[in-house]
Amino acid sequence: MMMWNKMSTEMGNVTTVQEFTLEGFPAIQHLGNVFFFVHLLAYLASTVGNAIIVTITCADSRLHTPMYFFLSIFSFFECCFTSTVIPKLLIIFLLGRQTISFPACFIQAFVTVFLGAAGFFLIAVMSLDRYVAICKPLHYPTIMNLKTCFLLVTACFTLAFTLITGPVVKVSQLSFCGPHVIPHFFCDLAPLIHLSCSDTSSTEMLAFVLALVILLTSLIITIIAYSNIAVTIVQLPSVRERQKAFSTCSSHLIVLSLIYGSCVFIYVKPKQTNRLDSNREAALVTTVVTPLLNPVIYTLRNKQVHQALRETMCRMKISR
C-alpha cells in the first residue's frame, strides 16, 4: 500500500487524466447482449473447470504428484487472470464503453502482466516436469520432490514480480494529457503507452525487450523439453505407449501454440501503434479461449482425473 501511495504521489505531478475509458469492441457493440451471454458462459465454464482441477487435486491423494501440483497452480493462475479481465468486458458488452480510474487501471495492468509472466514461466516448468517424467523416469521422484516443486513455483512468482514491476511503474509515471480512451477491453501496457503525451520511445523499447525475454525464455525451454520428449516417445517399444504419450503431448501443444502464438502477436513488436485494434481480438484468445480449453485439454481427458472426480462427487452425495 505504501508503494502504491508513493506511485500515486509521483503520478499526480505529471498526470492530468484522472480516469480512462475502455473502448471495448465498438464495431460489434450492437450485438452486445449476444456477446455478453457468450462470454459469460465461457467465463463461468473456464472458472468452474479450473476450480474443479484445483479442488480435486487437493482432495485426492492420488493426484498429489508434481504434474498435478503444477497444473493446479496454473489453473489457479487462469482463474485469477480471467477474473481480473472478463468481468469488465462483460459490463462493456452489456452497457457499452466503461470508465476506470487511473489507479484501478494500473492495478489491473500490473496484475494481468504479473500473472501472464508468471504463467509463462510456469508453462516452462511444467514442460521440464514432463521432460523429466518421460525422459528420466527413474530419477523423476528424486529430482521433482516436494521441495523442488515449491522452489520452482516460488521462482516463477519472484522472477515475474521482479521483471514487470519496474516497467509498470515506469509507464504509470508517464504524462497522460488526453485523449483518455483506451482502444482495448482492459488496461494493458501497450495501449497505455500509446496514450501518453510523453516521449515513450525508451518505455516502449523496455516493454518490447521484457516481452521478448519472458516469451522467448519460456518458449525455448518448452521447445527443448518437448523435442527431447518426442525423441523419447519415438523410441518407446510399445505402439500403445507411443500413442498414449503422443496423444497427451499433442493436446498440450495445441494449448501452448494458442498461448504463445497470440502473445507473440500482441507483445513481440517494437511499435505497437499500428496494430492496437488487432491486439484486442488476439487478446480474447488468452483471456477467453485458452482458459476454457485448459481444463479439457490438460485433465478432463485424463482417466485418473475422471476417476478422482467421480469419487469426489460420490463422497459429496454420501455426506448429504
Side-chain angles (χ1 to χ4, degrees), residues 57-228:
T57 301
C58 295
D60 197 302
S61 59
R62 289 168 300 181
L63 301 182
H64 292 175
T65 63
M67 182 180 81
Y68 290 107
F69 170 72
F70 293 133
L71 191 57
S72 64
I73 299 294
F74 188 68
S75 295
F76 177 73
F77 273 18
E78 293 282 38
C79 284
C80 294
F81 184 80
T82 54
S83 296
T84 304
V85 175
I86 300 302
K88 199 72 175 177
L89 175 62
L90 294 175
I91 296 174
I92 290 172
F93 278 135
L94 200 61
L95 304 176
R97 57 172 61 186
Q98 288 294 303
T99 58
I100 183 170
S101 69
F102 196 95
C105 186
F106 277 95
I107 288 172
Q108 186 186 53
F110 177 85
V111 172
T112 53
V113 176
F114 167 69
L115 290 174
F120 276 109
F121 290 134
L122 188 59
I123 286 172
V125 168
M126 292 167 69
S127 301
L128 287 175
D129 171 68
R130 291 297 82 210
Y131 161 74
V132 177
I134 295 173
C135 301
K136 300 182 183 296
L138 297 178
H139 301 286
Y140 183 67
T142 306
I143 296 173
M144 300 304 292
N145 55 55
L146 186 61
K147 182 180 179 181
T148 303
C149 293
F150 276 111
L151 284 175
L152 287 170
V153 171
T154 303
C156 292
F157 277 104
T158 305
L159 192 56
F161 183 84
T162 303
L163 286 174
I164 66 97
T165 300
V168 173
V169 172
K170 187 175 177 64
V171 174
S172 71
Q173 293 174 340
L174 295 172
S175 297
F176 294 92
C177 22
H180 64 282
V181 178
I182 299 175
H184 214 312
F185 59 89
F186 69 96
C187 291
D188 200 7
L189 291 186
L192 285 169
I193 292 172
H194 175 61
L195 286 182
S196 173
C197 49
S198 304
D199 178 12
T200 61
S201 55
S202 62
T203 307
E204 198 165 9
M205 184 54 63
L206 177 62
F208 167 71
V209 171
L210 176 70
L212 196 65
V213 168
I214 292 172
L215 287 170
L216 282 186
T217 301
S218 176
L219 182 59
I220 289 170
I221 292 172
T222 302
I223 289 174
I224 293 173
Y226 275 96
S227 297
N228 283 279

Side-chain angles (χ1 to χ4, degrees), residues 184-186 188 190-191 208 211 215 259-272 275-276 278-287:
H184 214 312
F185 59 89
F186 69 96
D188 200 7
F208 167 71
L215 287 170
I259 296 173
Y260 282 115
S262 57
C263 286
V264 166
F265 177 84
I266 294 170
Y267 296 109
V268 184
K269 47 185 183 288
K271 291 293 181 181
Q272 296 278 349
R275 288 167 66 177
L276 286 175
S278 56
N279 282 0
R280 276 180 280 198
E281 287 75 16
L284 285 175
V285 175
T286 56
T287 56

Side-chain angles (χ1 to χ4, degrees), residues 219-290:
L219 182 59
I220 289 170
I221 292 172
T222 302
I223 289 174
I224 293 173
Y226 275 96
S227 297
N228 283 279
I229 289 171
V231 172
T232 304
I233 289 173
V234 171
Q235 295 174 347
L236 290 174
S238 169
V239 175
R240 186 176 180 181
E241 287 179 349
R242 286 201 299 269
Q243 289 177 340
K244 182 180 178 182
F246 180 76
S247 175
T248 302
C249 291
S250 61
S251 59
H252 291 184
L253 289 172
I254 291 171
V255 176
L256 294 180
S257 61
L258 285 172
I259 296 173
Y260 282 115
S262 57
C263 286
V264 166
F265 177 84
I266 294 170
Y267 296 109
V268 184
K269 47 185 183 288
K271 291 293 181 181
Q272 296 278 349
T273 306
N274 297 329
R275 288 167 66 177
L276 286 175
D277 288 336
S278 56
N279 282 0
R280 276 180 280 198
E281 287 75 16
L284 285 175
V285 175
T286 56
T287 56
V288 179
V289 178
T290 53

